[in-house]
Amino acid sequence: MAIDKRVASAAEALGGVADGAVVLLSGFGGAGFANVLVRALAEMPLRDLTLVVNSATHPLSQTHLLIERGMVRKVVCSAARGRGKELSVFEQLFKQGRIELECLPQGTLAEKIRAGGAGIPAFYTPVGFGTDLTKGRETRTYNGREHVLEEAITGDLALIRADRADRYGNLTFRFTQQNFGPSMATAAKLAVAEVRVAEDTPIAQPEVQLPGVYVDRFLVVD
Amino acid sequence: MAIDKRVASAAEALGGVADGAVVLLSGFGGAGFANVLVRALAEMPLRDLTLVVNSATHPLSQTHLLIERGMVRKVVCSAARGRGKELSVFEQLFKQGRIELECLPQGTLAEKIRAGGAGIPAFYTPVGFGTDLTKGRETRTYNGREHVLEEAITGDLALIRADRADRYGNLTFRFTQQNFGPSMATAAKLAVAEVRVAEDTPIAQPEVQLPGVYVDRFLVVD
Amino acid sequence: MSNLKPLNRFQMAWRAAQDIQDGMLVNLGLGIPVLASDYLPAGRDVFIQSENGIIGAGPEAAADSADPDLVDAGSRRVTLRAGASIVNSADSFAMIRGGHIDVTILGCFEVAENGDMANWDSRVPDKGPLVGGAMDLAACARSVWVIMEHNTRGGGARLLRRCTLPLTAVSCVDRIYTDIAVLSVGASGFVVHEILDGMERDALQARTGAPIAFAPDCQPLVAPPIEVPG
Amino acid sequence: MSNLKPLNRFQMAWRAAQDIQDGMLVNLGLGIPVLASDYLPAGRDVFIQSENGIIGAGPEAAADSADPDLVDAGSRRVTLRAGASIVNSADSFAMIRGGHIDVTILGCFEVAENGDMANWDSRVPDKGPLVGGAMDLAACARSVWVIMEHNTRGGGARLLRRCTLPLTAVSCVDRIYTDIAVLSVGASGFVVHEILDGMERDALQARTGAPIAFAPDCQPLVAPPIEVPG
């Protein structure tokens, strides 16, 4: 049967997601948030999610919906600070001890996800050595410099945003929209994309930025 | 001064290469060999080179020139078998104990080079565990499976082949021409490309397959 | 018994191809495995991955349209299927090592009853090693299938208690397609699922270097006639 | 002495920008550092890297051409320079961690005389942590420059024997541009290369929380007048 990864609804896109899922959410600085899918996820009766996302508090992301509805047990991110003096939803829950946090250097976060998709269970990095974020971590000297051992991140679900898709799930991204999306798709058991446009014909080979074999389903939004 | 990475001659492209250099050579299956630059390198009075190359014996590569001229102390590769029953130049020298060999699984070779360019000094991989190629290597269990620890590869010089370049060194590749080229460029102190075409205007952003910041010099070859 | 005709290499490739499921991402090794792409059952939409970075390799190119920059893992000049894309070697092996290949079909010298595989070093004196992507594929594809003659030219067993040749990967082989049988490797060793039509079970055991069990639904192995090109 | 006018934040950015060399790949942190791109000396061809993957970020976009998919590390909608390219986050941090950034200029709270840096956690009660790419940049850029006020609002020292705030990276800072001095961090601690025009050396030492040495060619720090927008 001819491959066709397009789905008709957000419900179909998110079918099979279960309590306790580790959910990888793309997006940085306003670009690449899969906000339609995140809103749809927030409508599902899910609990104990772990979110892996660069920022837990970016105002242009809908991540806060999942957090404020009490669906999230833990956040793994590089940024969890709300803007201004008011506490963000995340910060309020964190202050109350109602949500767990693992804060990572952004490049370590990105590399852990890339490793998860690439079959590398652990790697050494110089980043974070000697800081509070790597306390108690195993270290080793390479090239006269201390490094910390970091383990891969894998997920049950990745929700990513792209620009165009073809039936095979091949994706293109606009400008900085890609950020964490491509590696998150490789690291998740189920990778779902929301896109602006579904192409009727296959995307030409040199334009494909994420091979469709990494994408399980995509939804056209707007 | 406006950046312009184009050089006029192979001599200029290879200026500064010294005895004992670790040289990364791109190419796989006939695509992506920087044969013009390799031929020029073979004309230089260099000794004790270490070559990092997928195959030491591919008939469409000029790697054998460096080997047969006695310039090479060691080869790191995933393939060192000549075709047919006749021994290749590499095999003859290896039989005579006049050249060293480190044979690696191809994906481990590729990942070690990628790690070298990405500031990852070492990583664990399941590949090669329990085989002769990883004897004596440090191992560790992740997810119930044994993994071996592999260290990064970096080089003094990378010679890679691409299709088009702009003055900033941005590169595009045709089809499977890319193979090891992009990661080799990231892992070498000096990355030199040979290309078919120099573009007068910058290559459009989505078409760039290797950012020019990784390319130090490029030479246009027929 | 002497009339029994084992499968030729095209028929072995055909037999393995019948088990490739719709929508799979498949990596085919050099030699017999790469032939399997010609025998996929109609209607199966399959992507062939080539270790040098092709996702969606098509058939070998015609001489007049062959492109030297579009080659597969066997240095053959190939084509691309609809929806194909190409990545670099680091990303290709990230795909392989990351467990994204549904099935790899590999040529092989020996398989042990625990699934150990030896397919990269046949110990030819003075010839250099050639491992290529074999270890990555054998260790990391979700399913590892082997196509090989059941026995060596000298009649020796290739299915063994323990491999005698250097290993490619440990405990990795899931299925074996030989010229006289189709087997799987289970927790207790080799299980025969198909045996050459007309062959006695004892005869198969005699040609195998480890105990074999027969699946309850063991079938005769039959393949359509396919001529080996002269 | 009371007439001495420290540099404003635009002048500090200007001063750091003068030291960016032709052909460099530069990453500019949020706040004052990002202003430096406006003050590059004429004729310097520089690529600005943004941690979210831009190689060659241009100035902030005009409101009518701003694109929500083209943002920098500070979520500003920006433009691209000629020759720009864009990679994903894993590749962007491979570039950063791999030592391919010639210079990063970062905002900072504290620097210790051994080069330790604290710039990510000012211990505001109940506010969540925000490390972003600071640790990657501080640990791995070839050269790490800091722009910060020489003292806290309360007059406390920011250049210290040891940092009091949580570290970003150890022994990483190469140069410091403050409102009253330009310093480097050497094997024996802080070395002053420029001191605010007219300021006494003792006065600078009094405002610094660790011993300072003066380079033999120490110069007066002067910047052209740049107004801080109301």
PDB file of all heavy atoms in Angstrom, chain B residues 168-186:
ATOM      1  N   TYR B 168      32.147  32.429   0.475  1.00  0.00           N
ATOM      2  CA  TYR B 168      32.184  32.194   1.918  1.00  0.00           C
ATOM      3  C   TYR B 168      32.540  30.746   2.260  1.00  0.00           C
ATOM      4  O   TYR B 168      32.625  30.389   3.435  1.00  0.00           O
ATOM      5  CB  TYR B 168      30.843  32.574   2.539  1.00  0.00           C
ATOM      6  CG  TYR B 168      30.460  33.999   2.203  1.00  0.00           C
ATOM      7  CD1 TYR B 168      29.503  34.277   1.235  1.00  0.00           C
ATOM      8  CD2 TYR B 168      31.105  35.069   2.811  1.00  0.00           C
ATOM      9  CE1 TYR B 168      29.181  35.587   0.895  1.00  0.00           C
ATOM     10  CE2 TYR B 168      30.803  36.383   2.472  1.00  0.00           C
ATOM     11  CZ  TYR B 168      29.842  36.633   1.520  1.00  0.00           C
ATOM     12  OH  TYR B 168      29.547  37.927   1.181  1.00  0.00           O
ATOM     13  N   GLY B 169      32.689  29.920   1.222  1.00  0.00           N
ATOM     14  CA  GLY B 169      33.012  28.517   1.466  1.00  0.00           C
ATOM     15  C   GLY B 169      31.791  27.641   1.671  1.00  0.00           C
ATOM     16  O   GLY B 169      31.931  26.440   1.933  1.00  0.00           O
ATOM     17  N   ASN B 170      30.601  28.221   1.567  1.00  0.00           N
ATOM     18  CA  ASN B 170      29.391  27.399   1.642  1.00  0.00           C
ATOM     19  C   ASN B 170      29.413  26.376   0.513  1.00  0.00           C
ATOM     20  O   ASN B 170      29.778  26.718  -0.618  1.00  0.00           O
ATOM     21  CB  ASN B 170      28.143  28.275   1.490  1.00  0.00           C
ATOM     22  CG  ASN B 170      27.917  29.179   2.682  1.00  0.00           C
ATOM     23  OD1 ASN B 170      27.961  28.727   3.829  1.00  0.00           O
ATOM     24  ND2 ASN B 170      27.660  30.464   2.424  1.00  0.00           N
ATOM     25  N   LEU B 171      29.017  25.153   0.822  1.00  0.00           N
ATOM     26  CA  LEU B 171      29.101  24.077  -0.165  1.00  0.00           C
ATOM     27  C   LEU B 171      27.751  23.396  -0.397  1.00  0.00           C
ATOM     28  O   LEU B 171      26.930  23.282   0.513  1.00  0.00           O
ATOM     29  CB  LEU B 171      30.093  22.997   0.285  1.00  0.00           C
ATOM     30  CG  LEU B 171      31.548  23.402   0.516  1.00  0.00           C
ATOM     31  CD1 LEU B 171      32.366  22.163   0.881  1.00  0.00           C
ATOM     32  CD2 LEU B 171      32.141  24.098  -0.706  1.00  0.00           C
ATOM     33  N   THR B 172      27.580  22.941  -1.645  1.00  0.00           N
ATOM     34  CA  THR B 172      26.505  21.991  -1.943  1.00  0.00           C
ATOM     35  C   THR B 172      27.154  20.736  -2.525  1.00  0.00           C
ATOM     36  O   THR B 172      28.269  20.791  -3.052  1.00  0.00           O
ATOM     37  CB  THR B 172      25.504  22.535  -2.981  1.00  0.00           C
ATOM     38  OG1 THR B 172      26.161  22.619  -4.260  1.00  0.00           O
ATOM     39  CG2 THR B 172      24.981  23.907  -2.582  1.00  0.00           C
ATOM     40  N   PHE B 173      26.438  19.632  -2.422  1.00  0.00           N
ATOM     41  CA  PHE B 173      26.931  18.349  -2.924  1.00  0.00           C
ATOM     42  C   PHE B 173      25.912  17.756  -3.886  1.00  0.00           C
ATOM     43  O   PHE B 173      24.714  17.978  -3.727  1.00  0.00           O
ATOM     44  CB  PHE B 173      27.142  17.370  -1.758  1.00  0.00           C
ATOM     45  CG  PHE B 173      28.149  17.831  -0.750  1.00  0.00           C
ATOM     46  CD1 PHE B 173      27.770  18.640   0.306  1.00  0.00           C
ATOM     47  CD2 PHE B 173      29.478  17.461  -0.860  1.00  0.00           C
ATOM     48  CE1 PHE B 173      28.697  19.067   1.244  1.00  0.00           C
ATOM     49  CE2 PHE B 173      30.418  17.886   0.077  1.00  0.00           C
ATOM     50  CZ  PHE B 173      30.029  18.687   1.130  1.00  0.00           C
ATOM     51  N   ARG B 174      26.380  16.983  -4.849  1.00  0.00           N
ATOM     52  CA  ARG B 174      25.468  16.251  -5.732  1.00  0.00           C
ATOM     53  C   ARG B 174      25.218  14.858  -5.136  1.00  0.00           C
ATOM     54  O   ARG B 174      26.149  14.127  -4.839  1.00  0.00           O
ATOM     55  CB  ARG B 174      26.055  16.083  -7.135  1.00  0.00           C
ATOM     56  CG  ARG B 174      26.135  17.370  -7.926  1.00  0.00           C
ATOM     57  CD  ARG B 174      26.512  17.107  -9.381  1.00  0.00           C
ATOM     58  NE  ARG B 174      25.391  16.560 -10.125  1.00  0.00           N
ATOM     59  CZ  ARG B 174      25.366  15.369 -10.704  1.00  0.00           C
ATOM     60  NH1 ARG B 174      26.418  14.581 -10.643  1.00  0.00           N
ATOM     61  NH2 ARG B 174      24.290  14.951 -11.341  1.00  0.00           N
ATOM     62  N   PHE B 175      23.949  14.510  -4.978  1.00  0.00           N
ATOM     63  CA  PHE B 175      23.569  13.155  -4.597  1.00  0.00           C
ATOM     64  C   PHE B 175      24.430  12.587  -3.459  1.00  0.00           C
ATOM     65  O   PHE B 175      24.548  13.199  -2.411  1.00  0.00           O
ATOM     66  CB  PHE B 175      23.591  12.230  -5.836  1.00  0.00           C
ATOM     67  CG  PHE B 175      22.621  12.663  -6.900  1.00  0.00           C
ATOM     68  CD1 PHE B 175      23.060  13.136  -8.132  1.00  0.00           C
ATOM     69  CD2 PHE B 175      21.248  12.613  -6.668  1.00  0.00           C
ATOM     70  CE1 PHE B 175      22.169  13.541  -9.103  1.00  0.00           C
ATOM     71  CE2 PHE B 175      20.350  13.014  -7.641  1.00  0.00           C
ATOM     72  CZ  PHE B 175      20.807  13.474  -8.863  1.00  0.00           C
ATOM     73  N   THR B 176      25.062  11.443  -3.687  1.00  0.00           N
ATOM     74  CA  THR B 176      25.807  10.787  -2.601  1.00  0.00           C
ATOM     75  C   THR B 176      27.255  11.273  -2.484  1.00  0.00           C
ATOM     76  O   THR B 176      28.081  10.637  -1.835  1.00  0.00           O
ATOM     77  CB  THR B 176      25.816   9.251  -2.791  1.00  0.00           C
ATOM     78  OG1 THR B 176      26.361   8.954  -4.080  1.00  0.00           O
ATOM     79  CG2 THR B 176      24.429   8.674  -2.691  1.00  0.00           C
ATOM     80  N   GLN B 177      27.513  12.409  -3.093  1.00  0.00           N
ATOM     81  CA  GLN B 177      28.864  12.977  -3.052  1.00  0.00           C
ATOM     82  C   GLN B 177      29.249  13.415  -1.637  1.00  0.00           C
ATOM     83  O   GLN B 177      30.429  13.486  -1.304  1.00  0.00           O
ATOM     84  CB  GLN B 177      28.865  14.193  -3.979  1.00  0.00           C
ATOM     85  CG  GLN B 177      30.185  14.724  -4.404  1.00  0.00           C
ATOM     86  CD  GLN B 177      30.002  15.909  -5.353  1.00  0.00           C
ATOM     87  OE1 GLN B 177      29.203  16.804  -5.100  1.00  0.00           O
ATOM     88  NE2 GLN B 177      30.737  15.889  -6.444  1.00  0.00           N
ATOM     89  N   GLN B 178      28.258  13.719  -0.805  1.00  0.00           N
ATOM     90  CA  GLN B 178      28.594  14.265   0.505  1.00  0.00           C
ATOM     91  C   GLN B 178      29.289  13.231   1.396  1.00  0.00           C
ATOM     92  O   GLN B 178      30.307  13.528   2.006  1.00  0.00           O
ATOM     93  CB  GLN B 178      27.355  14.857   1.192  1.00  0.00           C
ATOM     94  CG  GLN B 178      26.119  13.966   1.184  1.00  0.00           C
ATOM     95  CD  GLN B 178      24.895  14.685   1.808  1.00  0.00           C
ATOM     96  OE1 GLN B 178      24.995  15.356   2.815  1.00  0.00           O
ATOM     97  NE2 GLN B 178      23.737  14.509   1.202  1.00  0.00           N
ATOM     98  N   ASN B 179      28.751  12.072   1.532  1.00  0.00           N
ATOM     99  CA  ASN B 179      29.234  11.010   2.431  1.00  0.00           C
ATOM    100  C   ASN B 179      30.060  11.535   3.611  1.00  0.00           C
ATOM    101  O   ASN B 179      29.496  12.136   4.521  1.00  0.00           O
ATOM    102  CB  ASN B 179      29.894   9.852   1.666  1.00  0.00           C
ATOM    103  CG  ASN B 179      31.046  10.231   0.760  1.00  0.00           C
ATOM    104  OD1 ASN B 179      32.119  10.566   1.234  1.00  0.00           O
ATOM    105  ND2 ASN B 179      30.820  10.165  -0.540  1.00  0.00           N
ATOM    106  N   PHE B 180      31.357  11.334   3.637  1.00  0.00           N
ATOM    107  CA  PHE B 180      32.148  11.724   4.808  1.00  0.00           C
ATOM    108  C   PHE B 180      32.596  13.196   4.796  1.00  0.00           C
ATOM    109  O   PHE B 180      33.160  13.681   5.789  1.00  0.00           O
ATOM    110  CB  PHE B 180      33.402  10.842   4.914  1.00  0.00           C
ATOM    111  CG  PHE B 180      33.106   9.438   5.333  1.00  0.00           C
ATOM    112  CD1 PHE B 180      32.778   8.465   4.394  1.00  0.00           C
ATOM    113  CD2 PHE B 180      33.134   9.077   6.670  1.00  0.00           C
ATOM    114  CE1 PHE B 180      32.494   7.162   4.774  1.00  0.00           C
ATOM    115  CE2 PHE B 180      32.855   7.781   7.061  1.00  0.00           C
ATOM    116  CZ  PHE B 180      32.528   6.818   6.114  1.00  0.00           C
ATOM    117  N   GLY B 181      32.382  13.895   3.692  1.00  0.00           N
ATOM    118  CA  GLY B 181      32.928  15.231   3.530  1.00  0.00           C
ATOM    119  C   GLY B 181      32.518  16.229   4.601  1.00  0.00           C
ATOM    120  O   GLY B 181      33.379  16.867   5.225  1.00  0.00           O
ATOM    121  N   PRO B 182      31.203  16.390   4.831  1.00  0.00           N
ATOM    122  CA  PRO B 182      30.813  17.419   5.800  1.00  0.00           C
ATOM    123  C   PRO B 182      31.407  17.195   7.187  1.00  0.00           C
ATOM    124  O   PRO B 182      31.935  18.135   7.792  1.00  0.00           O
ATOM    125  CB  PRO B 182      29.280  17.296   5.811  1.00  0.00           C
ATOM    126  CG  PRO B 182      28.937  16.773   4.453  1.00  0.00           C
ATOM    127  CD  PRO B 182      30.054  15.831   4.104  1.00  0.00           C
ATOM    128  N   SER B 183      31.369  15.973   7.693  1.00  0.00           N
ATOM    129  CA  SER B 183      31.916  15.818   9.049  1.00  0.00           C
ATOM    130  C   SER B 183      33.439  15.912   9.054  1.00  0.00           C
ATOM    131  O   SER B 183      34.018  16.419  10.014  1.00  0.00           O
ATOM    132  CB  SER B 183      31.430  14.539   9.734  1.00  0.00           C
ATOM    133  OG  SER B 183      31.173  13.527   8.840  1.00  0.00           O
ATOM    134  N   MET B 184      34.085  15.452   7.992  1.00  0.00           N
ATOM    135  CA  MET B 184      35.547  15.597   7.949  1.00  0.00           C
ATOM    136  C   MET B 184      35.958  17.073   7.995  1.00  0.00           C
ATOM    137  O   MET B 184      36.932  17.430   8.659  1.00  0.00           O
ATOM    138  CB  MET B 184      36.108  14.920   6.699  1.00  0.00           C
ATOM    139  CG  MET B 184      36.134  13.401   6.827  1.00  0.00           C
ATOM    140  SD  MET B 184      36.813  12.610   5.344  1.00  0.00           S
ATOM    141  CE  MET B 184      37.089  10.933   5.969  1.00  0.00           C
ATOM    142  N   ALA B 185      35.193  17.923   7.306  1.00  0.00           N
ATOM    143  CA  ALA B 185      35.532  19.350   7.321  1.00  0.00           C
ATOM    144  C   ALA B 185      35.441  19.909   8.741  1.00  0.00           C
ATOM    145  O   ALA B 185      36.251  20.749   9.133  1.00  0.00           O
ATOM    146  CB  ALA B 185      34.606  20.118   6.387  1.00  0.00           C
ATOM    147  N   THR B 186      34.478  19.419   9.517  1.00  0.00           N
ATOM    148  CA  THR B 186      34.315  19.942  10.884  1.00  0.00           C
ATOM    149  C   THR B 186      35.420  19.448  11.809  1.00  0.00           C
ATOM    150  O   THR B 186      35.672  20.060  12.846  1.00  0.00           O
ATOM    151  CB  THR B 186      32.967  19.541  11.508  1.00  0.00           C
ATOM    152  OG1 THR B 186      32.950  18.131  11.770  1.00  0.00           O
ATOM    153  CG2 THR B 186      31.802  19.908  10.605  1.00  0.00           C
TER     154      THR B 186
END
